[in-house]
Amino acid sequence: MRQTLQLVLYVAVATVLAAGCTGKRSQTARESDRHPQPTDTLYTAEKALMVYDYEPERALQIIDSAVIVGNVSDWWADKHRARIYSQTRAGSRLDSLMHWTEGTRFDSARAIGERLLLHDSIKNSLEGQQDVLEMLAYTARQQSDTTLWLQRSRQVVDVCRRQGDETEALRNEAEVGAALCHLGQPDEGMAVLDSVIVALSDRQPFKFNELDALIIVLRKISALDTQGRQVETLPLARRLIALLDDYEQHPDRYHDGSYREPPAEKREDYIRFYRTQAENFVASAYAALGQTENMKATFERLENIVREADTREHQARYRALEQQMERQKAEARADRNQLLTVIFAILFAAALAALAWYWHQKRVISRKNRALVRQIEEAMKYKEMYIKVIPLLKQSTEPSDLSTLTDEQLFDYINHVIVSEQLYTNPNFSRQTLIERFQLSKDRLGAAFSRGSEYAKLSDYIAELRLERAASLLIEEPNLTITQVAQACGFSTLRYFTDRFKHRFGMTPTDFRKAKR
């Protein structure tokens, strides 16, 4: 039974030391207060600190992005990287993601911190020194480097006193006492812890900052328990419970606005957390004394604390949801009629405006299409007249030797044959068709088109002839359907014909015919 209680006690102490020790919670809040970040971007140190506990990789990405966009400097980003490496709860995952061996993140944090201590911005700022030294002390403790933990903690105490912050200095002296106990100097360490407790108890005014610092008495309870002196923890644990009770009853008396003070909605959680730890120590002490009834009564109080906490949490959630639903219903009822009226008016006005715009645009487009069709007709007539007066080379009589023709003359002749015989209306018409028809090489034919025509590709030339023919048919053959026109001009699909026609003439074949009518 006693071994079980001690195991529970050790787990509770480890939890308290991880959450209540100097460094992690205070540094996150303090850095955010001292260095406000831009609020118009996701890439800020504040955003990184919001997620680093369980998503360190995401926090590191945010820090890197913050440097790129100029929200933080390189050395300030290094401070946050060191904090993330050393204090994330997802440390094992971070080591794995970075392809490190277990615990390498602490080595990285330590290297960054020691480098930062040499940076001018840190050397010229006591607050900056305190931040970095506290991180290094925390890292040394996690690495079980007790000698370095003791050294860094003493440096933090010195920096705090140089700033005139005696409460913070006492808080870190407790680190010194705990480190001494771990170094095998329990008497000296306990003496330091005793002096811290006395000094904090005598601090005036005794506000939340002092109360929170006095909770380090748990360090002495832990040290006593480690030495097998559980009975001596009883008065300390009772004293802590009394302080928490007083804070619960008179929170205004302790209010000091410090960054450590929890907001009103988190106060119960803060009190419950430390009260639970203190009650665990009380139960362990009673077990050591063999006072079974008192031990059972303590466990009952612990059960009640947990039960009441669960009940309050569920009730609070239910009340919040209920109030939210009622508020949303009331707001919805109040806004619905007004919203419907506004929507109806907007829709009616928009419908009128859209209708007017539609008819106006339709008239404008119709006028433009008619003008464009006239221009196309005139251009086609001009082209027909031009063809009639071209040189003899363009007539149907084939020259005896095509090799004697220049590239320009050869293209003129080939063009005449294609147009006069309407070869382009064959859907399978291609370069190979011309090669076989005129017994020309691929290079000779290519040279004729590249130097004798204005078309970069044969396919563009063929498409142009087909589109001009289609425009003529749409004007001259109103009884033909659009599909029939496309087929008559050599287009394999109606969709391809429509797309090319619109790209060439700025309107679809249907709009072209309507504009002509």
Side-chain angles (χ1 to χ4, degrees):
M1 178 66 174
R2 180 175 177 178
Q3 291 178 344
T4 302
L5 288 173
Q6 287 181 344
L7 179 60
V8 172
L9 178 61
Y10 292 149
V11 173
V13 171
T15 304
V16 173
L17 292 179
C21 63
T22 300
K24 192 166 186 178
R25 179 174 59 84
S26 62
Q27 291 304 320
T28 299
R30 183 165 59 213
E31 290 182 7
S32 177
D33 292 342
R34 289 176 182 170
H35 300 275
Q37 298 289 316
T39 58
D40 59 345
T41 175
L42 290 175
Y43 307 125
T44 65
E46 183 179 12
K47 294 293 191 302
L49 293 176
M50 291 171 62
V51 302
Y52 86 101
D53 223 3
Y54 295 101
E55 296 184 77
E57 64 280 7
R58 173 60 180 155
L60 291 170
Q61 291 172 357
I62 294 174
I63 291 297
D64 292 341
S65 299
V67 174
I68 294 174
V69 300
N71 285 344
V72 296
S73 62
D74 290 333
W75 70 269
W76 192 248
D78 271 344
K79 282 185 61 178
H80 292 295
R81 291 190 186 100
R83 186 77 55 198
I84 294 167
Y85 289 148
S86 63
Q87 295 181 355
T88 179
R89 295 179 191 268
S92 298
R93 189 177 76 208
L94 179 59
D95 281 334
S96 177
L97 289 171
M98 302 294 283
H99 304 290
W100 290 339
T101 57
E102 183 71 23
T104 302
R105 62 189 185 280
F106 294 120
D107 295 330
S108 299
R110 181 170 172 176
I112 293 173
E114 291 175 347
R115 185 173 68 248
L116 285 171
L117 288 177
L118 303 176
H119 195 281
D120 289 340
S121 297
I122 297 296
K123 292 164 67 175
N124 297 328
S125 169
L126 291 175
E127 289 184 356
Q129 292 177 40
Q130 180 183 342
D131 291 344
V132 175
L133 287 170
E134 285 182 349
M135 184 274 295
L136 288 172
Y138 179 86
T139 301
R141 178 150 51 88
Q142 295 301 311
Q143 292 185 304
S144 300
D145 189 342
T146 311
T147 302
L148 185 58
W149 172 24
L150 177 62
Q151 176 190 341
R152 295 305 187 191
S153 297
R154 283 173 170 165
Q155 290 175 316
V156 176
V157 172
D158 177 64
V159 170
C160 290
R161 290 214 162 97
R162 287 164 61 191
Q163 294 182 87
D165 192 344
E166 183 61 22
T167 300
E168 196 68 23
L170 291 170
R171 189 189 306 273
N172 284 279
E173 273 197 19
E175 292 279 344
V176 174
L180 288 170
C181 290
H182 278 273
L183 275 174
Q185 303 175 39
D187 293 338
E188 185 177 351
M190 293 301 297
V192 172
L193 289 168
D194 284 336
S195 66
V196 170
I197 294 172
V198 172
L200 284 170
S201 300
D202 294 339
R203 291 284 293 168
Q204 293 297 327
F206 190 83
K207 294 292 187 178
F208 181 83
N209 198 30
E210 287 70 30
L211 171 68
D212 187 66
L214 192 54
I215 291 178
I216 55 134
V217 75
L218 288 173
R219 297 269 172 79
K220 181 174 181 180
I221 298 175
S222 175
L224 289 170
D225 186 80
T226 302
Q227 299 171 39
R229 298 159 61 183
Q230 288 87 357
V231 176
E232 297 179 47
T233 65
L234 190 56
L236 296 173
R238 285 173 174 170
R239 182 179 178 186
L240 179 57
I241 293 172
L243 285 168
L244 291 169
D245 289 343
D246 192 58
Y247 173 53
E248 183 176 35
Q249 296 168 14
H250 309 287
D252 294 339
R253 184 190 303 167
Y254 290 91
H255 177 65
D256 58 6
S258 68
Y259 62 85
R260 295 183 184 277
E261 184 175 1
E265 63 272 14
K266 298 292 185 181
R267 187 184 303 133
E268 285 297 327
D269 294 335
Y270 176 90
I271 294 171
R272 182 174 63 253
F273 177 79
Y274 287 112
R275 180 179 284 150
T276 301
Q277 312 312 316
E279 291 286 7
N280 270 299
F281 284 118
V282 170
S284 179
Y286 282 140
L289 290 169
Q291 297 181 14
T292 306
E293 293 300 322
N294 288 333
M295 181 187 66
K296 290 182 179 179
T298 304
F299 276 122
E300 288 178 2
R301 288 197 299 272
L302 283 169
E303 290 177 358
N304 289 334
I305 291 173
V306 175
R307 190 181 301 112
E308 290 173 3
D310 290 341
T311 301
R312 281 197 303 271
E313 183 177 357
H314 289 304
Q315 288 177 344
R317 289 182 179 178
Y318 176 77
R319 284 194 299 269
L321 288 173
E322 191 176 49
Q323 292 172 1
Q324 182 180 5
M325 291 176 62
E326 289 299 326
R327 185 166 56 252
Q328 290 175 344
K329 288 180 181 179
E331 291 173 355
R333 285 193 298 267
D335 294 341
R336 185 163 49 207
N337 292 336
Q338 180 181 359
L339 182 61
L340 290 174
T341 302
V342 172
I343 290 176
F344 177 78
I346 292 174
L347 290 176
F348 183 73
L352 289 178
L355 185 62
W357 180 85
Y358 171 77
W359 284 109
H360 173 73
Q361 289 297 111
K362 188 174 181 180
R363 294 183 61 185
V364 170
I365 293 173
S366 179
R367 287 197 298 269
K368 289 182 177 180
N369 286 348
R370 287 197 297 271
L372 184 58
V373 169
R374 285 196 297 270
Q375 293 175 1
I376 294 171
E377 281 188 285
E378 292 175 359
M380 293 174 63
K381 289 178 181 179
Y382 177 80
K383 189 171 184 178
E384 290 176 1
M385 292 174 60
Y386 172 75
I387 292 174
K388 291 178 181 180
V389 297
I390 57 176
L392 182 63
L393 182 61
K394 294 184 178 181
Q395 296 179 4
S396 59
T397 302
E398 182 174 348
S400 59
D401 188 1
L402 296 181
S403 63
T404 62
L405 301 179
T406 65
D407 291 332
E408 291 79 3
Q409 291 172 336
L410 180 59
F411 171 75
D412 287 340
Y413 174 72
I414 293 174
N415 177 60
H416 172 72
V417 173
I418 293 173
V419 173
S420 61
E421 298 182 14
Q422 294 187 349
L423 299 179
Y424 57 83
T425 59
N426 183 351
N428 297 321
F429 181 74
S430 65
R431 182 186 300 273
Q432 189 62 33
T433 304
L434 296 178
I435 292 174
E436 294 173 357
R437 170 66 183 271
F438 297 104
Q439 296 300 306
L440 297 172
S441 67
K442 181 179 179 181
D443 293 338
R444 180 72 171 110
L445 183 64
F449 271 86
S450 64
R451 297 172 186 171
S453 75
E454 59 184 12
Y455 301 98
K457 297 186 295 185
L458 176 63
S459 59
D460 293 338
Y461 165 75
I462 296 171
E464 182 69 15
L465 293 178
R466 288 173 175 172
L467 290 171
E468 289 181 354
R469 176 61 178 166
S472 297
L473 290 178
L474 288 171
I475 295 172
E476 299 167 359
E477 302 291 342
N479 294 328
L480 292 178
T481 65
I482 303 299
T483 301
Q484 290 171 334
V485 170
Q487 293 173 347
C489 297
F491 287 99
S492 57
T493 65
L494 178 61
R495 180 175 180 179
Y496 178 69
F497 166 59
T498 302
D499 290 343
R500 291 301 299 261
F501 193 94
K502 184 174 182 180
H503 182 266
R504 173 62 178 82
F505 297 112
M507 67 187 84
T508 65
T510 302
D511 291 338
F512 184 90
R513 176 170 277 175
K514 287 181 180 179
K516 175 58 182 174
R517 290 175 180 172

